Amino acid sequence: MPRRRKPLLLLGVSVLALAWPASCADPVLFPVAKDAATSLYTIPVRDGANHVIDLAGPLLWSTCASDHLPAKFSCGDPVCKLANAYRPPGCREAGQPCKQQCKAYPYNPITGQCAAASLIHTRLVANTTDGKNPLRQVSVRAVAACAPRKLLASLPRDAAGVAGLAASGLALPAQVAASQRVASKFMLCLPRRDEGVAIFGGGPLFLLPESAIGDFTYTTLLSKRGSSSYYLPVKAIAVGKARVPLPRDALATGGVVLGTTAPYTALRADVYRPLVDAFGKALTREWNNTRRVAAVAPFELCYDSKTLPGPTRIGWLVPDIDLVLEGG
Ligand SMILES: *[C@@H]1O[C@H](CO)[C@@H](O)[C@H](O)[C@H]1NC(C)=O
Ligand SMILES: *[C@@H]1O[C@H](CO)[C@@H](O)[C@H](O)[C@H]1NC(C)=O
């Protein structure tokens, strides 16, 4: 692993709501599924074809039919500026001066590949919702990038592209907000298998017949110059309610990034080691007959489940790992 200061965490979140000022039209719902083979989340936008959800992605991109007609966006067009507001990491082609027709640079968040692509006008079919039931079908105008097929490497077999959910002009939230005149906010409820939803334009969302999601705990999301990712203000990490001693500034602003494309939380080595040590100690302090077993990659600290407390409906009764956020 390079020793460069990398963002610390990639968090798989289960429910995430991002808010801007409110408006009036009905929110727009897309179903969300999880691909069993890759653990990636998908959303059926553009002719019902699945697109991988990338919380940090600034574009909507798909492969296009060979006879598609690219939209003619000039270099000075505001849409062209939005398409190039973020340069994908490691994308050498991006950043070349725009000559005649605008190019976008779609990015595969799994392989890190990118490619130059033209932009097209498209329509996304979805239902509006009152939080319980679909209300009516709508056709959402959007601008998408047309990527070459090779950019689909390592994505689920049925995926035709990537749907970016970043806070940028050509990501899905802003495009749905502009087309449907709904609020610029979205709710993402990630499924274990296939009952998830993405709702653009606000809530409510009723997960159970009688209960609206309302009792959220909120925290501020942060952004970082030149990056389209959402960052979390994590102040400390606790194991079994005790703070894990970490190097100074290990969690400094912009150190913790939210993501939907890694199946586990990933930690930088200087945070991983103290956390794993604290967890092992806290577990044996509470349950002194747990038995360690050989590591199972990619994990290192593994236990014989027969010696662990639980499981219960909500999981194993092992020490909690809490991310302590700004504001408590
Ligand atoms: C809209 O809702 C109807 C009724 O539940 C459903 O059959 C249809 O597939 C939905 N359309 C989309 C695009 O999700
Ligand atoms: C393990 O815990 C039990 C009760 O929780 C205690 O009676 C026993 O002495 C402990 N054993 C060791 C080796 O600490």
Side-chain angles (χ1 to χ4, degrees), residues 200-233:
F200 297 91
L205 170 64
F206 298 84
L207 283 185
L208 301 169
E210 68 289 356
S211 73
I213 290 188
D215 300 334
F216 278 138
T217 310
Y218 289 88
T219 194
T220 314
L221 292 175
L222 309 172
S223 59
K224 211 154 95 171
R225 247 180 106 87
S227 164
S228 57
S229 298
Y230 300 104
Y231 294 85
L232 270 186

Side-chain angles (χ1 to χ4, degrees), residues 71-81 98 100-102:
K72 298 247 184 297
F73 291 109
S74 67
C75 294
D77 194 295
V79 170
C80 189
K81 296 229 157 69
C98 179
Q100 275 180 338
Q101 192 169 304
C102 184

